[in-house]
Amino acid sequence: MTTRPKVLYASEPALDAAEFRRVLVESGLGVTRPVDDDLRLKAMLANADLMLTARLAAPDKPLIGLARGITDFSWVCYISELAVCKSAQGLGIGKGLLDEARRQLGPSVAMSLISVPDAVGFYERIGMTRMADAFWFGRER
């Protein structure tokens, strides 16, 4: 029987842009994020209200997942990234990050996100409700 590695979940509002970029790339989200624009990545981190990380409980504590959110801490939190390195997917890290977000936000704050097509089944399996009435103005750059 294989044991799952111990994972440390934490709030890291000062997460380094290089670590952020690495997890975006290693998770597959790098194709939809501005990973080659260091200033924009730094702005994304600086303006997040919620920055949660998942690190392996190993001597160097490697970052294996993250959740970044924009919230008022009262009504709603938009999860703009939920990224888990492909090598750690299937270990419960994504659900763990969302559970930690819910714990920190409290029961009166709803969470929303926009899923990449390949992750829809994950969100349905963990109990999130699919919303049909979402709308979007795309970015111009």
Side-chain angles (χ1 to χ4, degrees), residues 32 114-123 130:
T32 63
I114 298 171
S115 177
V116 295
D118 292 346
V120 170
F122 164 75
Y123 295 113
R130 186 184 282 218

Side-chain angles (χ1 to χ4, degrees), residues 21-141:
R21 175 185 299 105
R22 182 184 58 76
V23 172
L24 290 175
V25 170
E26 290 183 17
S27 71
L29 279 184
V31 298
T32 63
R33 300 301 190 272
V35 294
D36 294 325
D37 186 340
D38 195 53
L39 288 176
R40 200 163 183 186
L41 288 179
K42 288 178 180 177
M44 290 166 68
L45 289 168
N47 293 302
D49 301 306
L50 185 70
M51 189 69 236
L52 302 176
T53 59
R55 294 182 179 275
L56 286 179
D60 56 346
K61 294 189 175 75
L63 182 66
I64 56 171
L66 59 88
R68 187 176 74 90
I70 309 299
T71 184
D72 54 18
F73 292 100
S74 179
W75 185 251
V76 68
C77 176
Y78 170 69
I79 300 296
S80 49
E81 277 90 33
L82 178 65
V84 177
C85 294
K86 286 186 181 179
S87 62
Q89 289 177 6
L91 299 175
I93 308 300
K95 183 176 183 320
L97 284 161
L98 291 177
D99 288 347
E100 180 62 16
R102 292 176 78 191
R103 187 189 71 72
Q104 288 194 23
L105 293 165
S108 64
V109 179
M111 285 190 345
S112 66
L113 58 82
I114 298 171
S115 177
V116 295
D118 292 346
V120 170
F122 164 75
Y123 295 113
E124 290 175 336
R125 280 191 304 281
I126 67 167
M128 291 188 85
T129 303
R130 186 184 282 218
M131 303 298 293
D133 300 327
F135 300 90
W136 178 267
F137 279 126
R139 64 191 65 74
E140 295 179 18
R141 61 174 194 93

